[in-house]
Amino acid sequence: MILSRLIIALWAFPLSTSATSNSNRRAKPIIIDTDIFSDVDDIGSLAVANVLHNCGLADLRGVAINTNSKYGALAASVINTYFGNGDIPIAAIRPLTNETFVDTWEFVLGEYASKIAHNWPHSLNDSSATPTPVELYRSILSSSEDQSITLISLGFLTNLAELINSPPDDITPLAGPALVSAKVNELVVMGGQYPSGWEFNFGGADPASASCVVNNWPRDVPITYSGFELGRDILSGECLADYALPDSPVLAAYQWYVGRCSTVRESWDPVTTLYGILGLEGSRELGIGKLFSYANEIGYNEMSEDGSNMWVNDSHISNQHWLRLADGVTNTSIARLLDQFFAHDPKDANFYAYGSRGFLGYNGSYCNRGCRGMCFS
């Protein structure tokens, strides 16, 4: 009992800018490739990335947009600017359009990207002034240390397919595959179902590009997949209205998108981003224990022309995995942790996952600060 109390005490310090400078953990360099436009969980992902960037655990080198609306890059800039990171480079896919989102599947969900772009400050004023995603990728990768960059893919794989098909140029003499092999530490992909199935990021807008990446990614670069089934039942955003600042664009985006006085949404992209930055072991600095584990030991993902995917068992390949929750971690506990990221005050240099003791396996109950009046044992 004395030992367990000591462990809790050691983990109970919030991470601050000064604490980070003394930490042995290096900020993980990441690039996020997002389809921000048609689902609000991309906003949640950028909130997670910005908070961890400000904590010194992530180094958000750039954001690439893989949907064509000009409002995607502007919405990404709103979130980065809100968290004090308006200088992070953003790249927009071409051609750009004036399209705004309309839910033609269920006619329930609302548009948010143009609304936050028109109503919140953003350092980027013109999406057409951005580089293309391939230009951004090649520039960042060529200037990075070897095997240092984690790529986090949160939508269609168009930009990544163009990257691995890119020829040598004035930026670097390396062609796409060689550049990826030299500079990328891991590709983390929200896409597919596991061990098999069909999912929209693979089979929706650009299955040819998805197939190109899944089937032709350099074999020496690890890939981790976060499947549809993982984020589907993690319903985050429930407590945003209680705890986010009234002027938060994260709160506004969730309110506009979900609608009918709700901010609850599935967490496909935020979960992927959380793993992409914290990995399997979590963060001792933030008081977050192990959240995820690999669901397989061997094999690789294979994608068909119709956009479906299937895991192929192959004992010769051990650097491809798909994710599941770690033992003892629940959908609800992950959702409440995400809510704390979403609602974080950008002026507050400290972040501590108050509900994280449940992830660490401590005995006793705790009150989850992410939602008023909700306690878990």
Side-chain angles (χ1 to χ4, degrees):
M1 180 62 72
I2 294 175
L3 177 61
S4 66
R5 289 175 181 173
L6 176 60
I7 293 173
I8 292 173
L10 288 173
W11 282 59
F13 294 99
L15 183 67
S16 66
T17 303
S18 60
T20 303
S21 64
N22 296 321
S23 172
N24 291 325
R25 181 166 180 169
R26 178 185 176 189
K28 179 184 285 189
I30 64 170
I31 303 173
I32 289 181
D33 199 312
T34 170
D35 61 346
I36 185 170
F37 172 72
S38 60
D39 201 324
V40 78
D41 65 335
D42 297 87
I43 293 288
S45 297
L46 288 178
V48 171
N50 273 275
V51 172
L52 291 174
H53 178 90
N54 291 344
C55 286
L57 296 180
D59 178 6
L60 182 54
R61 299 279 180 91
V63 178
I65 311 299
N66 57 63
T67 45
N68 292 95
S69 172
K70 68 179 184 181
Y71 294 112
L74 296 177
S77 182
V78 166
I79 303 304
N80 291 348
T81 302
Y82 175 71
F83 284 101
N85 302 314
D87 59 339
I88 291 174
I90 295 174
I93 197 172
R94 306 303 198 271
L96 290 168
T97 72
N98 294 321
E99 184 182 5
T100 56
F101 171 71
V102 177
D103 177 12
T104 57
W105 283 33
E106 297 177 335
F107 297 93
V108 172
L109 303 171
E111 198 276 336
Y112 69 86
S114 70
K115 292 177 180 177
I116 64 171
H118 281 294
N119 290 282
W120 267 266
H122 41 85
S123 296
L124 175 66
N125 293 317
D126 183 358
S127 295
S128 66
T130 66
T132 67
V134 172
E135 291 169 341
L136 182 71
Y137 274 127
R138 292 184 63 82
S139 176
I140 293 175
L141 291 178
S142 64
S143 62
S144 299
E145 296 181 7
D146 288 350
Q147 284 85 47
S148 64
I149 301 293
T150 296
L151 304 181
I152 302 175
S153 174
L154 304 177
F156 309 121
L157 282 80
T158 308
N159 296 333
L160 290 175
E162 292 188 5
L163 169 63
I164 61 175
N165 288 322
S166 62
D169 56 17
D170 293 338
I171 299 174
T172 172
L174 296 178
L179 182 61
V180 167
S181 291
K183 302 296 184 177
V184 176
N185 179 63
E186 182 181 16
L187 171 62
V188 181
V189 178
M190 193 283 114
Q193 290 197 62
Y194 300 93
S196 64
W198 188 97
E199 186 272 331
F200 190 73
N201 284 352
F202 283 2
D206 191 0
S209 289
S211 177
C212 174
V213 173
V214 171
N215 295 336
N216 299 301
W217 190 254
R219 288 294 194 188
D220 58 335
V221 180
I223 309 179
T224 302
Y225 294 95
S226 175
F228 176 84
E229 71 286 347
L230 180 63
R232 175 188 54 203
D233 298 323
I234 299 174
L235 302 178
S236 58
E238 180 179 358
C239 308
L240 270 174
D242 286 337
Y243 291 97
L245 296 177
D247 65 346
S248 165
V250 179
L251 170 62
Y254 271 78
Q255 289 175 324
W256 274 321
Y257 185 78
V258 180
R260 296 180 63 85
C261 302
S262 176
T263 51
V264 177
R265 185 61 180 162
E266 291 89 344
S267 306
W268 297 291
D269 293 348
V271 164
T272 306
T273 303
L274 197 59
Y275 164 79
I277 297 171
L278 299 184
L280 292 180
E281 298 307 318
S283 167
R284 186 177 184 85
E285 297 93 332
L286 296 186
I288 299 174
K290 184 173 183 177
L291 304 177
F292 307 102
S293 62
Y294 294 143
N296 67 296
E297 294 183 358
I298 62 169
Y300 62 93
N301 201 15
E302 185 174 78
M303 185 176 156
S304 303
E305 291 183 0
D306 65 357
S308 63
N309 69 285
M310 179 177 66
W311 201 262
V312 178
N313 289 321
D314 185 337
S315 60
H316 295 96
I317 297 178
S318 59
N319 67 348
Q320 293 196 26
H321 301 92
W322 83 86
L323 292 174
R324 65 175 181 86
L325 294 184
D327 292 343
V329 177
T330 67
N331 292 327
T332 301
S333 61
I334 292 283
R336 298 291 77 79
L337 174 62
L338 291 174
D339 286 354
Q340 293 177 48
F341 282 105
F342 299 171
H344 188 68
D345 182 350
K347 298 183 180 65
D348 186 354
N350 296 324
F351 182 91
Y352 178 73
Y354 293 102
S356 62
R357 294 177 185 175
F359 304 138
L360 301 174
Y362 295 145
N363 293 326
S365 63
Y366 64 88
C367 184
N368 186 300
R369 303 284 185 92
C371 201
R372 183 174 300 160
M374 295 183 67
C375 296
F376 302 91
S377 298

